[in-house]
Amino acid sequence: MGRMPRDPELSDYLTRFAGQDEVLARVERETRLLPNAGMLSRPDQAALLTILTRTLDAKVAVEVGTFTGYGAICIARGLAEGGTLTCFEVSEELAAIAQRNLDAAGLTDRVRITLGPAEENLAQLPDEPHIDIAYVDADKTGYPAYYDALVPRMRPGGLLVLDNTLLGQRVLDPQDERARTMAALNERVAADERVESVLLGLSDGVTLARKR
Ligand SMILES: C[S@@+](CC[C@H](N)C(=O)[O-])C[C@H]1O[C@@H](n2cnc3c(N)ncnc32)[C@H](O)[C@@H]1O
């Protein structure tokens, strides 16, 4: 989820510089009509995913929480020749929308959506370091489990991207389970010697954790 800047003018301005083409603009327009439209990744943040994926020369990518596929399109577009993105999405309805959007973007061959709870399905991934980039953007209380499943599977130099790690700044004074979970995870990531990490104040907080 990309928390929108409060100022719509700023939001439009940022979108102007995110290289959004007509395919992504249509996905954004149509997603904005859905009840949970706020879950959409911000165009600038998603464009960053393309750049990170391309910079890593990524062939193996994972997304946890796909919604209507905006971020998935951006990751898949950055993949190296022959690369694949595996998406984990719990909602059948949203997975179907994402699949349609990925098909319309011409990415059918590069992306596979695995339907169901991500925690169970991540456990089915090969138990060895092989992932180049992983983007975690699903239920916030699930993040610790996703982190624990993914870090050992990231290849050295691979990048784990966690979205919403500021949780509307509620991590500053956590008063509910989601905020407490995220605040504790932020501490754990920062102290984790398997990765070098930074929590960026971009959108709703984006943590980059690079596997050593
Ligand atoms: C913030 S949205 C993802 C936004 C998406 N990454 C994008 O680029 O637009 C969160 C998604 O996570 C999914 N989700 C929630 N709990 C999940 C779970 N346990 N396993 C897999 N997906 C889950 C939701 O159905 C929703 O589509």
Side-chain angles (χ1 to χ4, degrees), residues 13-73:
Y13 190 80
L14 290 171
T15 300
R16 263 186 58 209
F17 293 97
Q20 190 184 58
D21 64 4
E22 185 43 42
V23 171
L24 287 171
R26 184 192 57 77
V27 174
E28 183 178 8
R29 266 196 316 274
E30 292 181 7
T31 304
R32 294 247 164 260
L33 304 174
L34 299 178
N36 290 330
M39 295 206 294
L40 187 67
S41 281
R42 276 209 44 78
D44 46 327
Q45 191 181 325
L48 175 65
L49 292 173
T50 307
I51 291 175
L52 292 175
T53 305
R54 210 184 301 289
T55 302
L56 286 160
D57 199 25
K59 283 203 158 182
V60 181
V62 164
E63 182 186 50
V64 182
T66 297
F67 195 38
T68 58
Y70 195 103
I73 291 173

Side-chain angles (χ1 to χ4, degrees), residues 10 14 16 20 82 89 102 108 111 132 140 152:
L10 175 61
L14 290 171
R16 263 186 58 209
Q20 190 184 58
E89 172 53 54
L102 286 157
T108 313
V111 186
D132 298 303
K140 306 313 160 197

Side-chain angles (χ1 to χ4, degrees), residues 74-123:
C74 292
I75 296 167
R77 282 178 168 178
L79 286 168
E81 187 70 32
T84 54
L85 166 66
T86 304
C87 295
F88 296 93
E89 172 53 54
V90 76
S91 156
E92 197 171 343
E93 191 189 343
L94 291 171
I97 296 173
Q99 188 65 62
R100 278 202 301 279
N101 287 333
L102 286 157
D103 293 345
L107 295 165
T108 313
D109 295 344
R110 274 192 243 179
V111 186
R112 174 165 178 264
I113 301 178
T114 302
L115 187 61
E119 188 174 350
E120 286 165 31
N121 288 320
L122 280 169

